[in-house]
Amino acid sequence: MDQPDQSAPQKGTVTQRAIEQIKAMIGEGRLEPGQRLPTERDLAAQLGISRSSMREAIRALTVLGVLEARHGSGIYVTQLEAGDLLETFGVVADLSRGARLVELLEVRRVLESTATALAAARISSGQLADVEEHLEAMNATDDPEEILSHDLAFHRTIALAAGNDTMAAILEGLSSRTFRARVWRGYQEEDAFERTRREHARIHRALVARDPEAARAAAAAHVGEVEEWLRAQVEG
């Protein structure tokens, strides 16, 4: 049986090396956010790879939100905002099923409880008013679409109030609207709206009291309820 030629790396390997080299240039500050890249030809020559592999590397980094193509101007490093770089997280949440979705909820429980604890210490009066507004709107309707919309906004406001953009971006990705809609439909069937309203109210009270530990516990219990509901769906 012929052995593969180890001296001739596959194209994907060369492309991956180009991706890593461009990322290293950004990480080391040789390319700054907003800076224009050298031409494809010059960059390929600089890194010692073919133009086709460089083109693939640039395309991959553009999809990931690291680079952006500006028509007629060239390729630029993006501002490297956490939200843009972590957009693909939402795709993972949307496409995951069964036990993998339970795992994602475990991650969300850890992060959401931490973010809510941080928010209790850092939330502004304006953000607190927004949280209360979404809570009241959730309590004023039985329409699942309206509840879903305000539920997303309630948790998004708290995540932003935590003051950690990266954590907020990860939580945004884990808080798939598609998945939340499924949960709310399930809650409607089980007549569990009142329970989840009480959980949201408990989170709000902890924020008003500016009590990080109470906020952490309330958020962990809330996401934990969703996690247990989903685990029962998966195992059932």
Side-chain angles (χ1 to χ4, degrees), residues 170-206:
I170 295 172
L171 280 168
E172 184 74 18
L174 289 170
S175 301
S176 153
R177 186 182 181 92
T178 302
F179 170 67
R180 281 180 182 265
R182 179 182 162 198
V183 171
W184 280 112
R185 282 196 300 271
Y187 276 6
Q188 187 178 30
E189 289 167 10
E190 296 175 13
D191 199 25
F193 277 2
E194 284 310 312
R195 185 188 71 214
T196 197
R197 282 174 174 143
R198 286 195 300 272
E199 291 166 1
H200 282 93
R202 185 178 165 205
I203 292 170
H204 175 249
R205 283 196 302 273

Side-chain angles (χ1 to χ4, degrees), residues 61-171:
L61 288 169
T62 300
V63 170
L64 290 171
V66 176
L67 302 177
E68 63 177 334
R70 298 181 190 172
H71 185 65
S73 179
I75 306 296
Y76 289 78
V77 180
T78 67
Q79 292 305 313
L80 304 176
E81 298 289 346
D84 295 331
L85 297 178
L86 292 166
E87 264 186 4
T88 49
F89 235 78
V91 178
V92 174
D94 278 343
L95 300 182
S96 293
R97 299 168 59 192
R100 180 61 52 81
L101 203 48
V102 176
E103 287 181 3
L104 287 174
L105 263 176
E106 287 180 339
V107 175
R108 186 183 147 208
R109 172 164 47 83
V110 172
L111 289 180
E112 188 112 36
S113 57
T114 301
T116 307
L118 289 171
R122 299 173 177 175
I123 195 165
S124 70
S125 56
Q127 289 169 325
L128 197 53
D130 288 343
V131 170
E132 185 170 354
E133 182 182 324
H134 292 303
L135 177 64
E136 289 175 351
M138 272 190 281
N139 289 340
T141 182
D142 286 324
D143 181 330
E145 276 301 314
E146 282 190 47
I147 293 175
L148 172 62
S149 178
H150 288 292
D151 175 53
L152 280 164
F154 177 92
H155 289 288
R156 183 180 293 126
T157 303
I158 293 170
L160 291 172
N164 185 315
D165 290 344
T166 303
M167 190 184 298
I170 295 172
L171 280 168

